[in-house]
Amino acid sequence: MQEYSLRSPYHPVQLVLGLSIWAVWFVIIYAGVSVACEQRPGGLQQGSLTSVNLVLMAFTMLTCGLLLFMAHHNWRRARRMWRALSPTQRFIVRLSVALDLVAALVTLAVGLPAVVLPPCL
Amino acid sequence: MNGEYGRPALDPARGDAGRRHDEFNRVWGNPRGLRALTIVNHTTVGRNFMLAGGVFFLLGGLMAMLIRTQLALPGQDWLPPDIYNQLFTMHGTVMMFLFAVPVLEGLAMYLIPKMIGARDLVFPRLSAFGFWCYIFGGTILLASLALGIAPDTGWFMYTPLSGAEHTPGPNADFWLIGITFVEISAVSAGVELVVSIMRTRTRGMTLQTMPLFAWYILAMALMIVFGFPPLILGSILLELERAAGLPFFDVARGGDPVLWQHLFWLFGHPEVYIIFLPAAGIVSTLLPVFARRPIVGYRWVVLSVITTAFISFGLWVHHMFTIGIPQLAQAFFSMASMLVAIPTGVQIFSWLATLWTGRPVFHVPMLWITGFLVIFIAGGLTGVMLALVPFNWQVHDTHFVVAHMHYVLVGGMLFPLVAGLYYWLPHFTGRMPSRTLSRWGFWLTFGGFNLTFLVMHLTGLLGMPRRVYTYETGLGWDWPNLVSSVGSFVMAAGVAVVLLDLLIHGLYGRRAGINPWQADTLEWATATPPSPYNFMSLPPVSSRHPLWDDPSLPEAIAEGRYALAVANHGRRETWGSDPVSGRVREVVHLPGNAWWPFVSALVLAVMCIGLLSKQYLFAALAAGVSLVLLLRWSWENGAHPNAAPDARTAEGDPPLHSRTFDGPGLWGMVVTLLADGALYMALLFGWFYLWTVAPQWQLPADSRVDWPLWLLASALMVGGWWLFRRRVQRLRDGEDEGLERALWLIAAIGLVQCVTLVATWHGSVLAPRATSHDAVITVFLLYLLLHCALATVMTTLQALRVRSGYVGRLAPYEPAVVEYWWAYCALVCGVTFAAVVLWPLGWGGV
């Protein structure tokens, strides 16, 4: 088996990296909304067009973009050396890329309410 | 270091196999009588976990029967409200903490080494210690019920009800101390299972050929490592509030009861999946065997297991939808709660596809699997309903939630567990269950369960709240309650029949042959019941179905045709392998039977009793004794003659792990620090939460932290770690001259650092009983002091071990392990300084 470094697309850490990024994003948006509403409540008349929502949406899109980039980048790098990879390394690549895509999808879905709901109701 | 232990030539003669079995039994055998308390073997410990869990299940079930008897008819009050409160609290507590988690951990402990081709778990004494903590903690908790002073504020112990003002007696203390004690067992099993799965798989068992059950248990164990610490922290804080008056959940002094809910459900919701995942692992193991084909979509199942493990940590607030959290935040959790159904759905479709494309045979375990599919899918659907915020508000705290919870937990855990018990029964005892009794048991349980809980959805929709000890007639709740109570007794009869079957099959059951279900996984390659060493020799594995590939594998293993087939060196050995490729890297030598786990747990139980009776000096003394015992236990490790009497290995075999830099202990330390880090993160969360959200957060006018001393303490810790790191690097380069002196120096730095921390506390103006602000800072200081003191003690011990010749160039393993502890301490010292001293500067604080 080819040796692997932490950044290689077939390192097992890739299996948890994408969803760990999702977890950090999730904690930040929840804490962000809670703190924002505690410090500056109101803004109901604006609906979802508030600065809090806009920051949340931007952060969601950025995180989602990062996860999609990771999936694409890892897949491209792995394809370049595909023949040299062992079946286990291929298994890790396929799984981790799929997990990055799942994390991107979950980020998008969980962040979606920020488009329609006011932050502090 | 190779020498005289060559692999024996293959000799299929029975006499040779018998001689080798005797030799292995001398090393691995279990003593009898009183010395049975010293057994650390995973088969015995895992079985004991399951047996004890079974007893707790029956006791919890008995409490449920009493509750259902009371509620069968309106207006009954033969159970007075205070006893009723104790019963429903203890029913939930016993089922969740003393039955569900331990019994599944026990099953995992029993099976995992056998499935991955190992001879034992990687830290057997830790398993035994965990078991005794579980037994003593459970006994303490149940003793409170016998004394009529059991916890009575619900299994989630909400503050302020569980605070000293509203629950002044010892009831809540029993929960907080007893459950924390039991959780030591859960976390230690989590660490044990993670490291065992990652590092002791047999030669060639890669990540992709690992049995699915091992994937599920790996996910569960990691979830325990991250999920249990928030509750441990919450319990410590609440007990500190009750016993010492430190206000964390008291609004008037700057605390917030909602913080308890966050800490509890940060554990509580992942807990549901901690229970469900291993049960689903049982299904994914059994179903292909009875469908007589490999599972459809192995990779999809692994994908969904990992996804579930993560997303289940993002659902906890759906237990708190009614407490006034902003709707947008609720919507995040609502979405996550619905999304988690998708990976579960992927698994269900994989199981259905396996059945569809296979040639299923319907033995008894399959009945329970079918029952699981029906009940769990129904429970999952009501779960999606409850994830919707408006519906959740309507049925919150009604019997609908009780019904949903039982559909998920009984359907998702008990049914697969019983399927697994029937499936592995021939493995446990060497005998088959009764066809007739087992079928009666299933149908009575299945029918009784649905009669009880299907109707209970309606009871809840009709508005009956949870936890009421009686109700008036005429509210429409009479007949559904009666039906539920009748159903519960039918279910109890089903459980009794299963129990009867399990008991009598040991006497009259048909003898099981080798691999009676024609299974594919390695646990069926052991003898049934298994010998303490599992495998006479450790086979290489190249596919997910070793026994389907080679049905004669059990005989070949028993004849000693494969690796590590000698035990005349007196060591307990198994492979240490690469976590990804399964390439063999070391020979892991495992510790044998010992009194340390039992005695240490016993003294910790004494400490708990001291805390419960508020004899704090006595409790501190017991804590000190237990620390000495644990350190003495750690002395017999690595190159100590009792751990590895002889360092030589067979020609061609890798070295012993204690003679390398990457043994399982290093992994054990990392996983332990992950758990410790999760606890620390929960504390940090509590600090920031109170700062930003607590309704009456207050900064004491005269509060002052002695920050220069705190900074000095942090700098000393970082300096100590840097020195330690340098010494380990030199050791890696083969240089051990001056090691002992360097370790003494680092220990001295640690000691000075501890003194500086004490001086910081002394020099700071803190009133921890007056405000949450000062109370949390006090806990931070105590946390740091405890960790830095342990770093000092461990380093002192290392210096002594160098002097004794147990650590050095030829046995360099332990300093590398301790270095991780120093690194962690340096990190938390720095982060805490930033959080307590620097953060307030930018947020209007001191």
Side-chain angles (χ1 to χ4, degrees):
Chain A
M1 172 176 287
Q2 204 169 316
E3 284 305 310
Y4 42 86
S5 74
L6 263 176
R7 293 178 57 194
S8 67
Y10 44 83
H11 192 285
V13 79
Q14 301 289 351
L15 295 174
V16 293
L17 198 58
L19 282 164
S20 299
I21 291 172
W22 167 80
V24 172
W25 166 84
F26 188 80
V27 170
I28 291 175
I29 58 156
Y30 173 53
V33 169
S34 305
V35 172
C37 292
E38 196 65 33
Q39 302 300 320
R40 293 205 182 107
L44 294 183
Q45 63 281 7
Q46 289 174 270
S48 61
L49 289 174
T50 66
S51 54
V52 175
N53 289 66
L54 290 174
V55 170
L56 286 174
M57 282 187 256
F59 187 42
T60 301
M61 295 312 291
L62 272 176
T63 310
C64 191
L66 172 68
L67 290 164
L68 289 173
F69 170 76
M70 279 169 54
H72 176 70
H73 183 65
N74 282 342
W75 183 246
R76 231 179 45 176
R77 280 204 305 154
R79 289 302 294 182
R80 263 190 248 132
M81 52 179 118
W82 198 250
R83 282 171 190 276
L85 298 185
S86 69
T88 308
Q89 288 171 326
R90 291 179 186 180
F91 172 78
I92 292 172
V93 169
R94 286 198 184 103
L95 201 55
S96 59
V97 167
L99 282 162
D100 288 347
L101 292 174
V102 166
L105 202 68
V106 176
T107 305
L108 206 60
V110 174
L112 201 62
V115 179
V116 288
L117 284 176
C120 303
L121 184 61
Chain B
M1 288 281 234
N2 297 325
E4 67 195 33
Y5 303 117
R7 280 198 195 87
L10 172 63
D11 181 357
R14 297 297 304 160
D16 190 49
R19 183 189 53 74
R20 213 179 287 125
H21 173 77
D22 291 342
E23 183 182 290
F24 268 78
N25 256 353
R26 268 195 296 279
V27 177
W28 288 86
N30 291 333
R32 290 168 185 268
L34 197 62
R35 288 186 65 81
L37 298 174
T38 65
I39 295 174
V40 298
N41 180 270
H42 80 104
T43 298
T44 306
V45 173
R47 198 188 55 208
N48 289 350
F49 258 107
M50 286 188 275
L51 288 173
V55 172
F56 285 123
F57 170 74
L58 294 178
L59 291 170
L62 199 62
M63 294 173 211
M65 290 296 94
L66 291 171
I67 292 168
R68 282 313 325 165
T69 306
Q70 172 99 336
L71 295 180
L73 298 169
Q76 292 205 94
D77 58 358
W78 61 274
L79 279 175
D82 57 327
I83 298 296
Y84 187 87
N85 290 349
Q86 291 183 29
L87 282 174
F88 74 68
T89 301
M90 287 296 284
H91 168 70
T93 303
V94 166
M95 288 304 198
M96 295 299 273
F97 292 101
L98 301 184
F99 164 61
V101 175
V103 88
L104 288 167
E105 281 182 340
L107 185 68
M109 283 176 159
Y110 180 93
L111 286 174
I112 283 294
K114 299 177 178 78
M115 279 188 168
I116 61 175
R119 289 203 174 114
D120 205 336
L121 288 165
V122 79
F123 309 121
R125 289 184 180 175
L126 188 64
S127 321
F129 177 66
F131 172 72
W132 292 116
C133 288
Y134 162 54
I135 288 296
F136 293 138
T139 308
I140 289 171
L141 199 60
L142 279 172
S144 70
L145 192 64
L147 296 169
I149 48 173
D152 55 357
T153 50
W155 80 278
F156 30 67
M157 296 288 291
Y158 274 3
T159 53
L161 182 61
S162 57
E165 190 185 343
H166 300 287
T167 308
N171 309 53
D173 300 320
F174 272 100
W175 195 97
L176 297 167
I177 292 169
I179 289 299
T180 303
F181 195 20
V182 170
E183 280 166 351
I184 294 175
S185 132
V187 176
S188 64
V191 173
E192 171 100 276
L193 288 165
V194 170
V195 183
S196 297
I197 292 170
M198 295 305 288
R199 290 291 277 108
T200 61
R201 301 196 303 270
T202 194
R203 187 192 293 273
M205 187 180 278
T206 64
L207 274 184
Q208 73 172 133
T209 50
M210 193 164 83
L212 268 178
F213 188 74
W215 274 106
Y216 279 99
I217 296 301
L218 183 61
M220 172 203 79
L222 281 168
M223 288 179 73
I224 288 175
V225 164
F226 287 104
F228 273 62
L231 179 61
I232 295 177
L233 175 78
S235 301
I236 292 170
L237 296 186
L238 184 50
E239 187 54 31
L240 279 174
E241 180 172 295
R242 289 176 55 83
L246 271 62
F248 303 100
F249 310 108
D250 177 7
V251 174
R253 288 182 284 171
D256 190 348
V258 176
L259 174 62
W260 168 265
Q261 295 195 25
H262 278 297
L263 292 176
F264 184 86
W265 290 116
L266 264 169
F267 144 82
H269 201 83
E271 160 85 342
V272 174
Y273 291 89
I274 286 169
I275 292 168
F276 167 67
L277 282 180
I282 294 172
V283 178
S284 291
T285 306
L286 271 59
L287 218 127
V289 173
F290 293 110
R292 294 186 287 174
R293 59 147 297 150
I295 196 156
V296 173
Y298 175 96
R299 205 187 309 139
W300 282 97
V301 174
V302 176
L303 178 83
S304 51
V305 169
I306 297 174
T307 306
T308 306
F310 271 90
I311 298 182
S312 65
F313 277 92
L315 319 180
W316 83 91
V317 166
H318 78 212
H319 295 270
M320 301 158 63
F321 276 164
T322 56
I323 65 163
I325 287 169
Q327 275 186 22
L328 181 56
Q330 292 187 36
F332 296 149
F333 286 92
S334 177
M335 285 300 286
S337 303
M338 284 185 270
L339 284 172
V340 81
I342 296 174
T344 311
V346 169
Q347 290 169 72
I348 289 170
F349 281 114
S350 161
W351 296 328
L352 292 178
T354 306
L355 281 176
W356 190 276
T357 53
R359 295 169 292 125
V361 282
F362 237 73
H363 292 297
V364 172
M366 278 297 281
L367 271 180
W368 290 88
I369 297 278
T370 312
F372 150 77
L373 283 170
V374 172
I375 294 173
F376 182 73
I377 290 173
L381 289 175
T382 53
V384 175
M385 290 163 72
L386 282 165
L388 297 164
V389 179
F391 183 80
N392 187 294
W393 286 346
Q394 292 302 312
V395 296
H396 178 76
D397 256 352
T398 69
H399 272 71
F400 187 92
V401 177
V402 181
H404 156 73
M405 175 174 51
H406 282 85
Y407 260 74
V408 171
L409 293 177
V410 176
M413 181 266 170
L414 185 71
F415 273 68
L417 176 72
V418 180
L421 285 181
Y422 271 116
Y423 176 73
W424 283 296
L425 205 56
H427 199 282
F428 301 144
T429 63
R431 289 176 184 272
M432 303 297 282
S434 148
R435 278 177 66 88
T436 313
L437 274 179
S438 56
R439 280 165 201 273
W440 269 97
F442 168 76
W443 285 111
L444 282 169
T445 310
F446 183 77
F449 173 83
N450 283 295
L451 204 57
T452 308
F453 293 104
L454 191 63
V455 180
M456 200 180 280
H457 290 98
L458 182 65
T459 322
L461 289 174
L462 290 170
M464 182 167 172
R466 301 166 71 175
R467 298 185 284 271
V468 290
Y469 82 103
T470 190
Y471 56 93
E472 288 181 12
T473 189
L475 296 167
W477 306 342
D478 301 14
W479 72 265
N481 269 302
L482 183 61
V483 171
S484 284
S485 294
V486 170
S488 70
F489 278 90
V490 175
M491 185 181 168
V495 172
V497 172
V498 171
L499 199 64
L500 187 69
D501 190 19
L502 295 182
L503 288 175
I504 63 173
H505 97 282
L507 292 174
Y508 306 109
R510 185 165 50 85
R511 290 261 177 211
I514 296 173
N515 194 4
W517 310 112
Q518 307 304 312
D520 57 336
T521 38
L522 270 183
E523 80 274 22
W524 292 103
T526 70
T528 52
S531 55
Y533 52 82
N534 289 343
F535 306 102
M536 179 71 76
S537 56
L538 303 181
V541 163
S542 57
S543 89
R544 291 172 193 155
H545 317 287
L547 290 193
W548 283 348
D549 294 344
D550 179 8
S552 66
L553 195 61
E555 289 85 355
I557 289 170
E559 286 166 7
R561 290 194 205 175
Y562 302 110
L564 298 182
V566 289
N568 59 4
H569 40 56
R571 292 190 301 260
R572 297 185 175 197
E573 288 183 340
T574 196
W575 281 139
S577 49
D578 182 272
V580 176
S581 66
R583 178 173 53 85
V584 166
R585 299 206 306 214
E586 312 97 16
V587 174
V588 174
H589 57 93
L590 303 162
N593 300 328
W595 281 102
W596 305 114
F598 173 77
V599 178
S600 307
L602 186 65
V603 177
L604 278 178
V606 171
M607 183 196 77
C608 289
I609 292 168
L611 289 174
L612 281 167
S613 53
K614 304 202 184 302
Q615 302 297 319
Y616 296 120
L617 199 64
F618 178 69
L621 190 70
V625 173
S626 71
L627 181 66
V628 171
L629 288 169
L630 292 169
L631 291 173
R632 178 64 187 80
W633 163 4
S634 77
W635 188 255
E636 288 180 14
N637 211 337
H640 189 282
N642 288 357
D646 191 330
R648 286 171 295 177
T649 55
E651 190 71 38
D653 280 350
L656 296 185
H657 80 269
S658 57
R659 273 67 177 173
T660 71
F661 269 101
D662 188 22
L666 201 66
W667 288 68
M669 176 59 91
V670 170
V671 181
T672 305
L673 288 176
L674 287 177
D676 198 359
L679 187 136
Y680 178 77
M681 291 298 283
L683 181 59
L684 215 53
F685 164 77
W687 171 246
F688 289 124
Y689 178 86
L690 292 176
W691 259 94
T692 51
V693 180
Q696 291 183 34
W697 175 252
Q698 44 201 277
L699 294 172
D702 53 353
S703 177
R704 188 178 60 81
V705 173
D706 194 340
W707 69 264
L709 271 180
W710 196 325
L711 187 62
L712 176 65
S714 305
L716 280 169
M717 204 65 217
V718 175
W721 170 50
W722 182 75
L723 278 177
F724 211 122
R725 195 174 161 72
R726 271 190 54 185
R727 280 314 309 193
V728 171
Q729 190 52 51
R730 284 181 66 181
L731 207 50
R732 280 183 200 278
D733 297 338
E735 168 70 62
D736 66 356
E737 204 180 314
L739 178 62
E740 187 191 342
R741 205 170 45 247
L743 287 169
W744 282 118
L745 174 68
I746 296 165
I749 293 173
L751 188 64
V752 174
Q753 199 267 354
C754 291
V755 172
T756 315
L757 270 179
V758 174
T760 306
W761 184 71
H762 194 257
S764 303
V765 182
L766 295 173
R769 288 198 176 94
T771 62
S772 297
H773 176 270
D774 287 3
V776 180
I777 292 179
T778 305
V779 173
F780 269 126
L781 280 169
L782 287 172
Y783 179 89
L784 294 182
L785 186 61
L786 179 70
H787 281 72
C788 297
L790 274 175
T792 308
V793 170
M794 283 195 277
T795 310
T796 308
L797 216 61
Q798 284 299 299
L800 291 171
R801 288 175 73 76
V802 174
R803 179 176 291 180
S804 305
Y806 302 148
V807 170
R809 190 171 50 83
L810 297 177
Y813 168 58
E814 294 172 29
V817 178
V818 178
E819 186 216 322
Y820 274 73
W821 185 268
W822 275 83
Y824 177 80
C825 289
L827 181 71
V828 291
C829 276
V831 173
T832 311
F833 183 79
V836 175
V837 179
L838 302 182
W839 151 271
L841 298 175
W843 198 274
V846 185

